[in-house]
Amino acid sequence: MSDRLPPDLRRGRAAALNMASRYDRQETLAIDDGWPGEEDATVSQPTEVMVDRSRSILTRNRSPDVPFDRSINPYRGCEHGCIYCFARPTHAHLGLSPGLDFETKLVVKPRAAALLTEALAKPGYAVAPIAIGTNTDPYQPIEKQHRVMRQVLEVLWEHRHPVSITTKGSLILRDLDVLGPMGRAGLAHATVSLTTLENRLSRAMEPRAAAPARRLAMIKALTQAGVPVQVNTSPIVPGLTDHEIERLLEAAAAAGALRASYTTLRLPLEVSPLFRDWLDREMPDRAARVMGRVREMHGGRDYDPSWHRRLKGEGVHAQLIGRRFRTAARRLGLDRDLPRLRTDRFRVPPRLGDQLALGL
């Protein structure tokens, strides 16, 4: 494709395209004019971090496909760079590309903890578990420097608010000193995403995420600390990772996971051309087969956004994946529910002028 980036510029990244935002009226393409210049001495695209000035942090959700009604996203964009990430199209709302920009031009929310405290203190706030990591990963590499997730977690623990975290980042283990007590108090669950056990495939598909063995170690460490863990074998890519379903669940159960879930590959909006380009580059011998299966599961299209169909697909192959997954999960004891998160321990943050309790 004419807008494909040179290999040196995308080293360590999954996307080879940086197409214009769907909201842009113009598109700029780099063209080789045959003359050498400074641009020829390319290096891997560095990560840029911008500051989000939002005045609220809780996002409300009304989707019938997911089990939570509120979430927090400490970051926009994700340095893990998973080529299949369904959140990529959200970068277009920032005037940025869902391609390489999504992996390299990130937005941090430094006031997230303070905004969360304000939200929890509002009159009439009704407690329910907050989901974190449902859009972009809160434990992506830049969290090591910015510590936004750590600060949010400290607020939740201070006020005994329940939380469910989804991640594939091993940095979560840094926060075991908070997550452990929260888990033992019935206030925290963790979901670890496990897509494949094959290192080469993981490195190509999720270039800056933790290696598969490291994610299994995360499950074990979280479980030992007292945090109930679910493994999410998502996305299952038909023709590419579906042969691993049983092995993934066996490895997760051995590491201590209590429950398993899955979705199949979703290719909304700009994710479709990005993923198809990646397939052609990385898996040319399987590209036609994979996309044929994907379209079979989505009514002949790359993606069907309909409620209740978009996460699992439909048709013979989708049914086979579901049957295999449920059979293996039942055999391994991964079909149980996680313990219900508690809401009765919530402590409302004090507001200005409130009478503080005396310590006795």
Side-chain angles (χ1 to χ4, degrees), residues 35-98:
W35 293 98
E38 293 182 1
E39 66 275 9
D40 295 315
T42 54
V43 295
S44 180
Q45 184 78 8
T47 299
E48 302 176 38
V49 180
M50 298 164 279
V51 174
D52 185 294
R53 304 293 183 185
S54 297
R55 290 181 289 180
S56 62
I57 194 63
L58 285 180
T59 299
R60 298 288 176 169
N61 167 67
R62 294 185 177 87
S63 168
D65 285 337
V66 294
F68 58 87
D69 69 350
R70 66 201 70 185
S71 63
I72 292 176
N73 294 302
Y75 302 99
R76 302 181 74 172
C78 188
E79 199 173 7
H80 282 157
C82 304
I83 192 61
Y84 52 73
C85 183
F86 63 85
R88 283 181 177 272
T90 62
H91 239 43
H93 298 300
L94 304 176
L96 298 171
S97 173

Side-chain angles (χ1 to χ4, degrees), residues 203-339:
R203 184 63 181 270
M205 193 163 55
E206 313 155 324
R208 300 200 177 196
R214 185 63 171 155
R215 296 186 217 179
L216 293 171
M218 289 160 52
I219 294 174
K220 183 175 182 179
L222 286 161
T223 299
Q224 291 177 342
V227 182
V229 179
Q230 171 176 266
V231 63
N232 188 16
T233 58
S234 299
I236 292 175
V237 183
L240 187 61
T241 66
D242 53 348
H243 68 284
E244 294 189 72
I245 291 174
E246 291 80 6
R247 291 176 55 220
L248 288 167
L249 295 184
E250 289 165 1
L258 297 179
R259 177 178 171 79
S261 62
Y262 83 97
T263 62
T264 56
L265 180 66
R266 298 161 57 187
L267 298 177
L269 300 170
E270 293 93 344
V271 185
S272 178
L274 286 164
F275 185 79
R276 286 187 280 109
D277 178 74
W278 177 87
L279 268 180
D280 289 339
R281 285 185 289 114
E282 301 289 343
M283 305 285 170
D285 57 326
R286 304 191 211 178
R289 179 186 178 193
V290 170
M291 289 309 302
R293 288 282 176 84
V294 168
R295 291 170 183 137
E296 173 194 327
M297 293 169 60
H298 291 282
R301 295 182 286 172
D302 287 1
Y303 178 59
D304 179 359
S306 304
W307 300 128
H308 309 299
R309 291 204 299 265
R310 62 192 184 122
L311 299 183
K312 298 289 199 300
E314 59 182 351
V316 174
H317 200 68
Q319 293 171 6
L320 178 60
I321 287 174
R323 190 176 304 121
R324 286 176 55 201
F325 183 92
R326 290 189 296 272
T327 300
R330 189 181 311 115
R331 171 172 58 85
L332 296 164
L334 294 174
D335 58 343
R336 72 190 93 173
D337 290 332
L338 293 180

Side-chain angles (χ1 to χ4, degrees), residues 4 16 22 41 80 145 158 173 198 211 219 234 240 251 253 292 319 329 331 345 350:
R4 182 176 291 174
R22 61 187 177 279
H80 282 157
Q145 289 76 40
E158 179 182 359
L173 301 183
E198 299 176 10
I219 294 174
S234 299
L240 187 61
Q319 293 171 6
R331 171 172 58 85
R345 295 184 168 180

Side-chain angles (χ1 to χ4, degrees), residues 199 257 287:
N199 286 330

Side-chain angles (χ1 to χ4, degrees), residues 149-183:
M149 180 59 191
R150 172 70 187 200
Q151 295 164 22
V152 165
L153 200 60
E154 289 171 345
V155 169
L156 294 171
W157 175 227
E158 179 182 359
H159 301 295
R160 302 302 188 264
H161 195 291
V163 64
S164 176
I165 301 168
T166 299
T167 185
K168 54 171 68 78
S170 60
L171 193 55
I172 192 174
L173 301 183
R174 176 202 64 188
D175 293 342
L176 283 180
D177 61 318
V178 178
L179 278 172
M182 290 188 75

